[in-house]
Amino acid sequence: MTTSTVPVPRTAAGLAECLERNAAAFPYKPAVIHPDGRGPGGVPRYREVTYGELQDTVEEIAHGLARAGITRGTKTVLMAPPGPELFALAFALFRLGAVPVVVDPGMGVRRMLHCYRAVGAEAFIGPPLAHLVRVLGRRTFGRVRVPVTLGRRRLWGGRTLDALRATAGPRTPAAGAGGDDLLMIGFTTGSTGPAKGVEYTHRMALSIARQIEAAHGRTREDTSLVTLPFYGILDLVYGSTTVLAPLAPAKVAQADPALLVDALERFGATTMFASPALLRNLADHLSTLGRTLPDLRCVVSGGAPVPDAVVAALRTVLDEKASVHVTYGATEVLPITSIESEEILGGTAAGSARGAGTCIGRPVPGTRVRILPVTDGPRPRLHPGTALPAGGVGEILVEGESVSPRYHRAPDRDALHKVSETLPDGSTRTWHRTGDLGYLDDRGRLWFCGRTSQRVRAAGGDLHTVRCEGVFNAHPLVRRSALVGIGPAGAQRPVVCVETDAWRDGPAWRELVAELRALAAEHAPTRGLEEFLPHPAFPVDVRHNAKIGREELARWAQRRLAPPPPPFSRARAALLVPLVGWAYLLGGALWAAVADVPDVPLLRLLWWADAVLSIPVHAAQIPLALPRGRAAGRGSAATAALTMLYGATWWRAL
């Protein structure tokens, strides 16, 4: 069979037009295959939606939304679980020229509400539970005038999606939005700083689709296993078939690899994108079973540095002709670079073990990369001659059609992250500061060295996290490492936190530290690093289990290395207060159970106040304590138990 290239026509104005063309060209082709309940043995059942059916649903929804008041430019919170309904809603909004507002649910409720408040959306589409949050959060959603409920409407106003789909009358035509019109607002994860609203234009989205096609050879005949909804949207633009992976969208890294293998084999998936943690679990599962995936011709990973061991493990479970691509990008620009496994395992992996950083490949076609000296403040203009030569480590800047032009209603963020350049002909173009450190080698490849905000600013000069960690990660007993700095900038004390099985055994840990110090002395980027701390499980982003929370680790390391408080310190004395409360609570209950207690109203009032403070108030603090407990290397059960015992007196000191 002849393989056709991806039909992302240059004449298309936007993503909605691409879907409409695909539906007209092959209406009976499967567009979305998605989990739909469970069959015998707990194996997922799947349902299929064709391109014709999907486009018909898009036009139904667009007509109903338009009649309800969602039109061109309407900023619309979109909170729907991954599935055909989500894709139909997204393309219906694109068709109308409305602007979906999308926030990663993995960032937590408080951060999500902050993001929505910053946008000031005028419409809200979501399930009943989301609408309950909207009703309670009037300060955040005060401008919403068009609420749409997925499912049954409860006590709030607005309409249900089912009612909108049944709206009578001739269908509303497409709005004709495209080019530099606003397509959507997507927020950064906020894992390394405040979440920012990134503006996507129609032109930018089409450019992203074309660049991914060029980098990874996407074709119309592909069947793609999707772990992120955004890639499902691109599949529908390409005209390929998207299979939604059976996983929880907020906990992708915890997906059951057996169910993923079932989906990959059942539908003959040819491509997939996944985080490094998910791919590690998948490769380990297949290796244990001694199975391979012969149909899978292209695997793409990104979102965090992909360990060379994960790439090597994937190669053993794929066909020898299959490709494994590691991509580098950001919410503001995707993709920036790409590199294939043959080049990684053939040479760049050895460089990482010597402290060269992580090679993330060459810029994709249409994207330009420059390396500039590091500065923590704004950089208003880009002047000629400021770019660093090959090998010079600095901040990575990128420019091209796939780069977001601005943040939404955040001129202070634009001033910090966007840089203007005046060209010889007098025109200007805007570069995006990624906030990442790296360098270009003499072959035009980009090497990633870490985040600018996470570099360790020691007295002897800056230390780059990923460069240093690559040296220690090459040790067979190290699962992963994280370099952090303690103290003021310019005089920070560098400490390397280490995940390893040897930490539980005192002699084994001391032997490992001696070997790590010897490794550090062999390489220039790590020379002088001598302080290592064992940590059972690094704090990472909830969704992908890939980005290490080095800021949390730094606070943990500072507490670990601080001198112990004296036996009668204020901190130790504070822990006695909740213990006294529990003693009074339990003692009073025991006294009442075995003897007659004098009826003293004040003592009874104190007992009930103690009960409220010790039980429901402490229990309500457990969700707040869990992230701090994880960062301190404590398990969830231990954190919950100690929070119930001591309350905020304990967990706030972590």
mmCIF file of all heavy atoms in Angstrom, residues 359-406:
data_model
loop_
_atom_site.group_PDB
_atom_site.id
_atom_site.type_symbol
_atom_site.label_atom_id
_atom_site.label_comp_id
_atom_site.label_asym_id
_atom_site.label_seq_id
_atom_site.Cartn_x
_atom_site.Cartn_y
_atom_site.Cartn_z
ATOM 1 N N CYS A 359 21.681 15.672 24.886
ATOM 2 C CA CYS A 359 21.506 16.120 23.506
ATOM 3 C C CYS A 359 20.040 15.954 23.117
ATOM 4 O O CYS A 359 19.475 14.862 23.227
ATOM 5 C CB CYS A 359 22.393 15.314 22.561
ATOM 6 S SG CYS A 359 22.347 15.937 20.857
ATOM 7 N N ILE A 360 19.424 17.042 22.668
ATOM 8 C CA ILE A 360 18.000 17.010 22.314
ATOM 9 C C ILE A 360 17.785 17.256 20.823
ATOM 10 O O ILE A 360 16.666 17.525 20.394
ATOM 11 C CB ILE A 360 17.204 18.017 23.164
ATOM 12 C CG1 ILE A 360 17.885 19.381 23.203
ATOM 13 C CG2 ILE A 360 17.036 17.485 24.581
ATOM 14 C CD1 ILE A 360 17.173 20.421 24.045
ATOM 15 N N GLY A 361 18.870 17.164 20.041
ATOM 16 C CA GLY A 361 18.729 17.148 18.601
ATOM 17 C C GLY A 361 18.868 18.495 17.921
ATOM 18 O O GLY A 361 19.262 19.489 18.533
ATOM 19 N N ARG A 362 18.511 18.488 16.641
ATOM 20 C CA ARG A 362 18.603 19.699 15.817
ATOM 21 C C ARG A 362 17.246 20.392 15.748
ATOM 22 O O ARG A 362 16.208 19.733 15.846
ATOM 23 C CB ARG A 362 19.076 19.334 14.418
ATOM 24 C CG ARG A 362 20.495 18.767 14.389
ATOM 25 C CD ARG A 362 20.840 18.151 13.045
ATOM 26 N NE ARG A 362 22.191 17.609 13.061
ATOM 27 C CZ ARG A 362 22.521 16.422 13.586
ATOM 28 N NH1 ARG A 362 21.578 15.658 14.120
ATOM 29 N NH2 ARG A 362 23.774 16.011 13.570
ATOM 30 N N PRO A 363 17.235 21.699 15.549
ATOM 31 C CA PRO A 363 15.954 22.404 15.409
ATOM 32 C C PRO A 363 15.132 21.834 14.260
ATOM 33 O O PRO A 363 15.674 21.508 13.194
ATOM 34 C CB PRO A 363 16.377 23.854 15.135
ATOM 35 C CG PRO A 363 17.746 23.972 15.742
ATOM 36 C CD PRO A 363 18.391 22.629 15.535
ATOM 37 N N VAL A 364 13.820 21.692 14.479
ATOM 38 C CA VAL A 364 12.942 21.197 13.421
ATOM 39 C C VAL A 364 12.838 22.266 12.333
ATOM 40 O O VAL A 364 13.079 23.451 12.590
ATOM 41 C CB VAL A 364 11.553 20.845 13.978
ATOM 42 C CG1 VAL A 364 11.643 19.743 15.011
ATOM 43 C CG2 VAL A 364 10.871 22.070 14.567
ATOM 44 N N PRO A 365 12.495 21.876 11.105
ATOM 45 C CA PRO A 365 12.391 22.857 10.019
ATOM 46 C C PRO A 365 11.450 24.006 10.367
ATOM 47 O O PRO A 365 10.362 23.799 10.912
ATOM 48 C CB PRO A 365 11.840 22.019 8.859
ATOM 49 C CG PRO A 365 12.265 20.624 9.154
ATOM 50 C CD PRO A 365 12.237 20.497 10.643
ATOM 51 N N GLY A 366 11.887 25.225 10.086
ATOM 52 C CA GLY A 366 11.071 26.400 10.345
ATOM 53 C C GLY A 366 11.282 27.019 11.713
ATOM 54 O O GLY A 366 10.651 28.026 12.044
ATOM 55 N N THR A 367 12.163 26.430 12.517
ATOM 56 C CA THR A 367 12.430 26.944 13.859
ATOM 57 C C THR A 367 13.900 27.334 13.974
ATOM 58 O O THR A 367 14.780 26.569 13.579
ATOM 59 C CB THR A 367 12.091 25.885 14.927
ATOM 60 O OG1 THR A 367 10.706 25.569 14.836
ATOM 61 C CG2 THR A 367 12.404 26.386 16.322
ATOM 62 N N ARG A 368 14.149 28.519 14.522
ATOM 63 C CA ARG A 368 15.519 28.999 14.726
ATOM 64 C C ARG A 368 15.829 29.040 16.212
ATOM 65 O O ARG A 368 14.974 29.422 17.023
ATOM 66 C CB ARG A 368 15.700 30.396 14.120
ATOM 67 C CG ARG A 368 15.752 30.400 12.599
ATOM 68 C CD ARG A 368 15.766 31.821 12.060
ATOM 69 N NE ARG A 368 14.432 32.413 12.145
ATOM 70 C CZ ARG A 368 13.487 32.267 11.226
ATOM 71 N NH1 ARG A 368 13.734 31.547 10.143
ATOM 72 N NH2 ARG A 368 12.299 32.827 11.367
ATOM 73 N N VAL A 369 17.060 28.664 16.563
ATOM 74 C CA VAL A 369 17.501 28.622 17.956
ATOM 75 C C VAL A 369 18.764 29.458 18.106
ATOM 76 O O VAL A 369 19.666 29.401 17.267
ATOM 77 C CB VAL A 369 17.780 27.169 18.407
ATOM 78 C CG1 VAL A 369 18.474 27.144 19.772
ATOM 79 C CG2 VAL A 369 16.483 26.373 18.464
ATOM 80 N N ARG A 370 18.817 30.260 19.181
ATOM 81 C CA ARG A 370 20.026 30.997 19.531
ATOM 82 C C ARG A 370 20.319 30.805 21.013
ATOM 83 O O ARG A 370 19.409 30.584 21.815
ATOM 84 C CB ARG A 370 19.869 32.492 19.238
ATOM 85 C CG ARG A 370 19.946 32.844 17.762
ATOM 86 C CD ARG A 370 19.951 34.348 17.563
ATOM 87 N NE ARG A 370 19.863 34.694 16.150
ATOM 88 C CZ ARG A 370 19.718 35.930 15.684
ATOM 89 N NH1 ARG A 370 19.640 36.942 16.552
ATOM 90 N NH2 ARG A 370 19.643 36.171 14.398
ATOM 91 N N ILE A 371 21.600 30.915 21.349
ATOM 92 C CA ILE A 371 22.040 30.812 22.736
ATOM 93 C C ILE A 371 22.614 32.163 23.150
ATOM 94 O O ILE A 371 23.552 32.666 22.515
ATOM 95 C CB ILE A 371 23.113 29.718 22.918
ATOM 96 C CG1 ILE A 371 22.650 28.393 22.304
ATOM 97 C CG2 ILE A 371 23.459 29.560 24.388
ATOM 98 C CD1 ILE A 371 21.425 27.802 22.951
ATOM 99 N N LEU A 372 22.043 32.745 24.198
ATOM 100 C CA LEU A 372 22.485 34.052 24.681
ATOM 101 C C LEU A 372 22.998 33.937 26.112
ATOM 102 O O LEU A 372 22.600 33.023 26.850
ATOM 103 C CB LEU A 372 21.341 35.063 24.636
ATOM 104 C CG LEU A 372 21.227 35.908 23.350
ATOM 105 C CD1 LEU A 372 20.881 35.033 22.157
ATOM 106 C CD2 LEU A 372 20.183 37.002 23.509
ATOM 107 N N PRO A 373 23.873 34.856 26.526
ATOM 108 C CA PRO A 373 24.347 34.841 27.917
ATOM 109 C C PRO A 373 23.180 34.918 28.888
ATOM 110 O O PRO A 373 22.156 35.555 28.621
ATOM 111 C CB PRO A 373 25.229 36.096 28.003
ATOM 112 C CG PRO A 373 25.653 36.352 26.590
ATOM 113 C CD PRO A 373 24.510 35.921 25.723
ATOM 114 N N VAL A 374 23.334 34.263 30.026
ATOM 115 C CA VAL A 374 22.250 34.173 31.003
ATOM 116 C C VAL A 374 22.046 35.508 31.701
ATOM 117 O O VAL A 374 22.999 36.166 32.127
ATOM 118 C CB VAL A 374 22.562 33.088 32.056
ATOM 119 C CG1 VAL A 374 21.469 33.044 33.118
ATOM 120 C CG2 VAL A 374 22.705 31.734 31.385
ATOM 121 N N THR A 375 20.786 35.911 31.770
ATOM 122 C CA THR A 375 20.399 37.064 32.581
ATOM 123 C C THR A 375 19.051 36.749 33.215
ATOM 124 O O THR A 375 18.182 36.155 32.572
ATOM 125 C CB THR A 375 20.317 38.347 31.751
ATOM 126 O OG1 THR A 375 19.867 39.420 32.581
ATOM 127 C CG2 THR A 375 19.358 38.209 30.588
ATOM 128 N N ASP A 376 18.883 37.131 34.464
ATOM 129 C CA ASP A 376 17.642 36.813 35.165
ATOM 130 C C ASP A 376 16.566 37.871 34.976
ATOM 131 O O ASP A 376 15.405 37.637 35.297
ATOM 132 C CB ASP A 376 17.924 36.633 36.664
ATOM 133 C CG ASP A 376 18.783 35.400 36.930
ATOM 134 O OD1 ASP A 376 18.462 34.338 36.382
ATOM 135 O OD2 ASP A 376 19.776 35.512 37.675
ATOM 136 N N GLY A 377 16.925 39.024 34.463
ATOM 137 C CA GLY A 377 15.959 40.091 34.264
ATOM 138 C C GLY A 377 15.473 40.160 32.830
ATOM 139 O O GLY A 377 15.831 39.329 31.986
ATOM 140 N N PRO A 378 14.628 41.145 32.505
ATOM 141 C CA PRO A 378 14.132 41.306 31.131
ATOM 142 C C PRO A 378 15.263 41.593 30.145
ATOM 143 O O PRO A 378 16.314 42.127 30.512
ATOM 144 C CB PRO A 378 13.185 42.504 31.244
ATOM 145 C CG PRO A 378 12.838 42.598 32.692
ATOM 146 C CD PRO A 378 14.040 42.118 33.433
ATOM 147 N N ARG A 379 15.023 41.223 28.896
ATOM 148 C CA ARG A 379 15.970 41.495 27.814
ATOM 149 C C ARG A 379 15.147 42.144 26.694
ATOM 150 O O ARG A 379 14.609 41.457 25.831
ATOM 151 C CB ARG A 379 16.616 40.200 27.335
ATOM 152 C CG ARG A 379 17.769 40.393 26.360
ATOM 153 C CD ARG A 379 18.164 39.065 25.746
ATOM 154 N NE ARG A 379 18.664 38.110 26.705
ATOM 155 C CZ ARG A 379 19.941 37.998 27.062
ATOM 156 N NH1 ARG A 379 20.834 38.814 26.527
ATOM 157 N NH2 ARG A 379 20.326 37.089 27.923
ATOM 158 N N PRO A 380 15.025 43.486 26.697
ATOM 159 C CA PRO A 380 14.070 44.149 25.786
ATOM 160 C C PRO A 380 14.333 43.891 24.313
ATOM 161 O O PRO A 380 13.402 43.700 23.543
ATOM 162 C CB PRO A 380 14.234 45.636 26.119
ATOM 163 C CG PRO A 380 14.863 45.660 27.479
ATOM 164 C CD PRO A 380 15.712 44.444 27.560
ATOM 165 N N ARG A 381 15.619 43.886 23.894
ATOM 166 C CA ARG A 381 15.916 43.748 22.472
ATOM 167 C C ARG A 381 17.071 42.784 22.278
ATOM 168 O O ARG A 381 17.917 42.592 23.166
ATOM 169 C CB ARG A 381 16.270 45.105 21.844
ATOM 170 C CG ARG A 381 15.169 46.153 22.003
ATOM 171 C CD ARG A 381 15.345 47.283 21.011
ATOM 172 N NE ARG A 381 15.106 46.858 19.634
ATOM 173 C CZ ARG A 381 13.891 46.701 19.115
ATOM 174 N NH1 ARG A 381 12.813 46.918 19.845
ATOM 175 N NH2 ARG A 381 13.746 46.336 17.870
ATOM 176 N N LEU A 382 17.086 42.178 21.090
ATOM 177 C CA LEU A 382 18.159 41.267 20.708
ATOM 178 C C LEU A 382 19.090 42.012 19.765
ATOM 179 O O LEU A 382 18.685 42.439 18.684
ATOM 180 C CB LEU A 382 17.569 40.033 20.013
ATOM 181 C CG LEU A 382 18.512 38.851 19.802
ATOM 182 C CD1 LEU A 382 18.965 38.295 21.127
ATOM 183 C CD2 LEU A 382 17.797 37.761 19.004
ATOM 184 N N HIS A 383 20.328 42.192 20.186
ATOM 185 C CA HIS A 383 21.290 42.965 19.396
ATOM 186 C C HIS A 383 22.225 42.039 18.630
ATOM 187 O O HIS A 383 22.545 40.928 19.099
ATOM 188 C CB HIS A 383 22.096 43.883 20.310
ATOM 189 C CG HIS A 383 21.262 44.867 21.071
ATOM 190 N ND1 HIS A 383 20.656 45.944 20.470
ATOM 191 C CD2 HIS A 383 20.909 44.924 22.386
ATOM 192 C CE1 HIS A 383 19.971 46.631 21.368
ATOM 193 N NE2 HIS A 383 20.106 46.032 22.543
ATOM 194 N N PRO A 384 22.699 42.451 17.462
ATOM 195 C CA PRO A 384 23.628 41.622 16.679
ATOM 196 C C PRO A 384 24.890 41.318 17.484
ATOM 197 O O PRO A 384 25.382 42.153 18.247
ATOM 198 C CB PRO A 384 23.941 42.504 15.459
ATOM 199 C CG PRO A 384 22.806 43.474 15.374
ATOM 200 C CD PRO A 384 22.367 43.714 16.788
ATOM 201 N N GLY A 385 25.399 40.115 17.300
ATOM 202 C CA GLY A 385 26.652 39.747 17.946
ATOM 203 C C GLY A 385 26.529 39.283 19.381
ATOM 204 O O GLY A 385 27.550 39.009 20.027
ATOM 205 N N THR A 386 25.310 39.180 19.900
ATOM 206 C CA THR A 386 25.159 38.763 21.299
ATOM 207 C C THR A 386 25.072 37.249 21.459
ATOM 208 O O THR A 386 25.213 36.745 22.575
ATOM 209 C CB THR A 386 23.904 39.403 21.914
ATOM 210 O OG1 THR A 386 22.766 39.083 21.099
ATOM 211 C CG2 THR A 386 24.051 40.910 22.028
ATOM 212 N N ALA A 387 24.810 36.510 20.384
ATOM 213 C CA ALA A 387 24.679 35.060 20.481
ATOM 214 C C ALA A 387 26.027 34.434 20.826
ATOM 215 O O ALA A 387 27.082 34.872 20.355
ATOM 216 C CB ALA A 387 24.149 34.488 19.174
ATOM 217 N N LEU A 388 26.014 33.405 21.641
ATOM 218 C CA LEU A 388 27.237 32.715 22.041
ATOM 219 C C LEU A 388 27.698 31.773 20.927
ATOM 220 O O LEU A 388 26.883 31.229 20.176
ATOM 221 C CB LEU A 388 26.980 31.911 23.320
ATOM 222 C CG LEU A 388 26.680 32.726 24.585
ATOM 223 C CD1 LEU A 388 26.336 31.792 25.743
ATOM 224 C CD2 LEU A 388 27.869 33.601 24.948
ATOM 225 N N PRO A 389 29.002 31.545 20.825
ATOM 226 C CA PRO A 389 29.506 30.600 19.814
ATOM 227 C C PRO A 389 29.204 29.163 20.214
ATOM 228 O O PRO A 389 28.720 28.893 21.326
ATOM 229 C CB PRO A 389 31.016 30.870 19.830
ATOM 230 C CG PRO A 389 31.289 31.368 21.222
ATOM 231 C CD PRO A 389 30.070 32.153 21.620
ATOM 232 N N ALA A 390 29.493 28.225 19.311
ATOM 233 C CA ALA A 390 29.270 26.808 19.587
ATOM 234 C C ALA A 390 30.003 26.408 20.862
ATOM 235 O O ALA A 390 31.163 26.775 21.073
ATOM 236 C CB ALA A 390 29.748 25.962 18.407
ATOM 237 N N GLY A 391 29.318 25.667 21.708
ATOM 238 C CA GLY A 391 29.901 25.210 22.965
ATOM 239 C C GLY A 391 29.655 26.126 24.138
ATOM 240 O O GLY A 391 29.871 25.729 25.288
ATOM 241 N N GLY A 392 29.193 27.359 23.891
ATOM 242 C CA GLY A 392 28.940 28.299 24.975
ATOM 243 C C GLY A 392 27.589 28.056 25.615
ATOM 244 O O GLY A 392 26.561 28.080 24.935
ATOM 245 N N VAL A 393 27.569 27.816 26.938
ATOM 246 C CA VAL A 393 26.320 27.541 27.651
ATOM 247 C C VAL A 393 25.624 28.855 27.996
ATOM 248 O O VAL A 393 26.223 29.755 28.582
ATOM 249 C CB VAL A 393 26.575 26.735 28.938
ATOM 250 C CG1 VAL A 393 25.266 26.522 29.705
ATOM 251 C CG2 VAL A 393 27.213 25.397 28.607
ATOM 252 N N GLY A 394 24.363 28.954 27.615
ATOM 253 C CA GLY A 394 23.575 30.139 27.904
ATOM 254 C C GLY A 394 22.100 29.814 27.837
ATOM 255 O O GLY A 394 21.699 28.638 27.815
ATOM 256 N N GLU A 395 21.267 30.841 27.792
ATOM 257 C CA GLU A 395 19.824 30.628 27.728
ATOM 258 C C GLU A 395 19.393 30.331 26.298
ATOM 259 O O GLU A 395 19.877 30.945 25.343
ATOM 260 C CB GLU A 395 19.064 31.848 28.246
ATOM 261 C CG GLU A 395 17.559 31.615 28.300
ATOM 262 C CD GLU A 395 16.775 32.784 28.862
ATOM 263 O OE1 GLU A 395 17.362 33.871 29.025
ATOM 264 O OE2 GLU A 395 15.571 32.618 29.117
ATOM 265 N N ILE A 396 18.464 29.383 26.147
ATOM 266 C CA ILE A 396 17.965 28.983 24.836
ATOM 267 C C ILE A 396 16.830 29.910 24.430
ATOM 268 O O ILE A 396 15.841 30.056 25.151
ATOM 269 C CB ILE A 396 17.472 27.531 24.865
ATOM 270 C CG1 ILE A 396 18.599 26.583 25.293
ATOM 271 C CG2 ILE A 396 16.910 27.120 23.510
ATOM 272 C CD1 ILE A 396 18.124 25.162 25.575
ATOM 273 N N LEU A 397 16.974 30.543 23.245
ATOM 274 C CA LEU A 397 15.915 31.362 22.654
ATOM 275 C C LEU A 397 15.471 30.715 21.357
ATOM 276 O O LEU A 397 16.289 30.104 20.640
ATOM 277 C CB LEU A 397 16.397 32.791 22.381
ATOM 278 C CG LEU A 397 16.329 33.788 23.555
ATOM 279 C CD1 LEU A 397 17.388 33.471 24.584
ATOM 280 C CD2 LEU A 397 16.502 35.221 23.049
ATOM 281 N N VAL A 398 14.190 30.837 21.030
ATOM 282 C CA VAL A 398 13.655 30.187 19.842
ATOM 283 C C VAL A 398 12.705 31.134 19.125
ATOM 284 O O VAL A 398 12.033 31.964 19.749
ATOM 285 C CB VAL A 398 12.951 28.861 20.230
ATOM 286 C CG1 VAL A 398 11.785 29.118 21.161
ATOM 287 C CG2 VAL A 398 12.491 28.096 19.006
ATOM 288 N N GLU A 399 12.653 31.000 17.790
ATOM 289 C CA GLU A 399 11.798 31.867 16.971
ATOM 290 C C GLU A 399 11.262 31.059 15.803
ATOM 291 O O GLU A 399 11.941 30.185 15.261
ATOM 292 C CB GLU A 399 12.607 33.064 16.476
ATOM 293 C CG GLU A 399 11.796 34.161 15.811
ATOM 294 C CD GLU A 399 11.538 33.911 14.319
ATOM 295 O OE1 GLU A 399 12.376 33.216 13.696
ATOM 296 O OE2 GLU A 399 10.523 34.398 13.794
ATOM 297 N N GLY A 400 10.016 31.333 15.416
ATOM 298 C CA GLY A 400 9.413 30.661 14.278
ATOM 299 C C GLY A 400 7.901 30.765 14.333
ATOM 300 O O GLY A 400 7.319 31.310 15.280
ATOM 301 N N GLU A 401 7.213 30.225 13.314
ATOM 302 C CA GLU A 401 5.752 30.308 13.241
ATOM 303 C C GLU A 401 5.066 29.509 14.336
ATOM 304 O O GLU A 401 3.919 29.792 14.690
ATOM 305 C CB GLU A 401 5.259 29.824 11.874
ATOM 306 C CG GLU A 401 5.311 30.876 10.790
ATOM 307 C CD GLU A 401 4.488 30.479 9.565
ATOM 308 O OE1 GLU A 401 4.033 29.316 9.508
ATOM 309 O OE2 GLU A 401 4.301 31.325 8.676
ATOM 310 N N SER A 402 5.757 28.492 14.886
ATOM 311 C CA SER A 402 5.136 27.664 15.917
ATOM 312 C C SER A 402 5.344 28.229 17.316
ATOM 313 O O SER A 402 5.010 27.568 18.302
ATOM 314 C CB SER A 402 5.711 26.240 15.860
ATOM 315 O OG SER A 402 7.106 26.259 16.123
ATOM 316 N N VAL A 403 5.863 29.455 17.422
ATOM 317 C CA VAL A 403 6.103 30.092 18.718
ATOM 318 C C VAL A 403 4.926 30.999 19.061
ATOM 319 O O VAL A 403 4.489 31.812 18.237
ATOM 320 C CB VAL A 403 7.407 30.913 18.701
ATOM 321 C CG1 VAL A 403 7.637 31.586 20.050
ATOM 322 C CG2 VAL A 403 8.592 30.021 18.343
ATOM 323 N N SER A 404 4.410 30.866 20.282
ATOM 324 C CA SER A 404 3.314 31.726 20.718
ATOM 325 C C SER A 404 3.771 33.180 20.743
ATOM 326 O O SER A 404 4.842 33.491 21.264
ATOM 327 C CB SER A 404 2.842 31.313 22.116
ATOM 328 O OG SER A 404 1.919 32.248 22.629
ATOM 329 N N PRO A 405 2.983 34.097 20.193
ATOM 330 C CA PRO A 405 3.418 35.494 20.119
ATOM 331 C C PRO A 405 3.386 36.213 21.462
ATOM 332 O O PRO A 405 4.101 37.192 21.660
ATOM 333 C CB PRO A 405 2.411 36.126 19.147
ATOM 334 C CG PRO A 405 1.175 35.266 19.258
ATOM 335 C CD PRO A 405 1.676 33.878 19.521
ATOM 336 N N ARG A 406 2.538 35.743 22.400
ATOM 337 C CA ARG A 406 2.398 36.480 23.665
ATOM 338 C C ARG A 406 1.678 35.617 24.695
ATOM 339 O O ARG A 406 1.076 34.590 24.361
ATOM 340 C CB ARG A 406 1.608 37.769 23.454
ATOM 341 C CG ARG A 406 0.142 37.553 23.102
ATOM 342 C CD ARG A 406 -0.571 38.813 22.687
ATOM 343 N NE ARG A 406 -0.037 39.288 21.430
ATOM 344 C CZ ARG A 406 -0.428 38.823 20.226
ATOM 345 N NH1 ARG A 406 -1.346 37.872 20.149
ATOM 346 N NH2 ARG A 406 0.086 39.311 19.126
#
